[in-house]
Amino acid sequence: MRKEIQKILLSESEVRDRITTLATTINKRYEGQELVVVMLLKGAIIFTADICRHLEMPLQIECLNVASYHGGTESSGQVEFLDRKLPDLAGKNVLLVDDILDTGLTLSAVSREVQALGVNSLKTCVLLAKNKTRTEEVNADYVGFEIENEFVVGYGLDYQGLYRNLPYIGILNVENL
Ligand code: PRP
């Protein structure tokens, strides 16, 4: 393990197994229907790539580039849309996929934008949800793991742009960087 990682919170195999069961639930929900997955860059890249390989319905993958942490450990409180390039989603079943639900600002801002496009249905899926009171009252429909309020990296999650490539979710040793 790297010295910057204090503890492995979720191992590679725990993440892999949970993604498989999450995908089974999502497959049942959308059986016989088409789905558009909208992943939120950049944190959701790895989670989306892995879960989508287990989804069985006709699937379209789109991305939306939003940021609120700007590399640090605390949300700036402002969700910045770095682009809004989405196709016409009117009448579509949309699943927003993100790596982590923390304050809830990102998911609620993006949900509002997507809902306004006249979608047929909108659901949300996150790999991690922090167990805390959120700034925005928002819950994800599909959650991989509930975690305590700790700063985690790996499997798509970064600190100052780094650590997204770690195959596990780890707690960062902020004193040892
Ligand atoms: C992170 C993460 C989520 C969001 C969650 O994104 O990927 O999108 O913050 O936090 P919230 O619930 O408090 O809004 P970040 O701004 O770090 O951008 P990134 O995905 O490019 O890392």
Side-chain angles (χ1 to χ4, degrees), residues 1-15 147 150-155 166-173:
M1 189 171 62
R2 298 179 179 213
K3 68 173 180 7
E4 306 98 301
I5 304 299
Q6 210 181 88
K7 184 182 158 195
I8 295 181
L9 192 64
L10 296 162
S11 69
E12 192 173 355
S13 62
E14 283 174 301
V15 172
I147 63 167
E150 281 170 304
F151 190 75
V152 287
V153 294
Y155 202 78
L166 299 183
Y168 51 80
I169 307 279
I171 297 174
L172 196 65
N173 194 349

Side-chain angles (χ1 to χ4, degrees), residues 22-36 54-59 93 95 120-121 123 142:
L22 210 50
T24 304
T25 310
I26 296 170
N27 279 328
K28 283 196 186 122
R29 160 65 179 81
Y30 293 100
E31 203 174 346
Q33 297 174 62
E34 290 185 16
L35 181 63
V36 183
H54 295 282
L55 296 180
E56 292 162 356
M57 69 293 285
L59 186 78
N93 298 313
L95 181 65
N120 178 53
S121 71
K123 295 217 174 274
Y142 305 102

Side-chain angles (χ1 to χ4, degrees), residues 41-43 67-69 98-100 102-106 158 164:
L41 299 177
K42 302 175 188 148
S68 61
Y69 278 68
D98 208 356
D99 52 350
I100 189 164
D102 187 355
T103 64
L105 283 166
T106 304
D158 75 308
R164 293 192 202 271

Side-chain angles (χ1 to χ4, degrees), residues 40-45 64-72 74-80 82 97-108 110 126 128 130 132 134-136 138 151 156-159 161 164:
L40 304 191
L41 299 177
K42 302 175 188 148
I45 291 177
L64 203 51
N65 201 354
V66 290
S68 61
Y69 278 68
H70 308 298
E74 302 236 344
S75 170
S76 65
Q78 299 251 310
V79 181
E80 191 185 348
L82 303 174
V97 177
D98 208 356
D99 52 350
I100 189 164
L101 176 60
D102 187 355
T103 64
L105 283 166
T106 304
L107 216 52
S108 59
V110 175
V126 294
L128 308 172
K130 282 194 181 179
K132 65 186 274 191
R134 304 195 201 293
T135 315
E136 290 283 327
V138 57
F151 190 75
L157 293 118
D158 75 308
Y159 174 64
R164 293 192 202 271

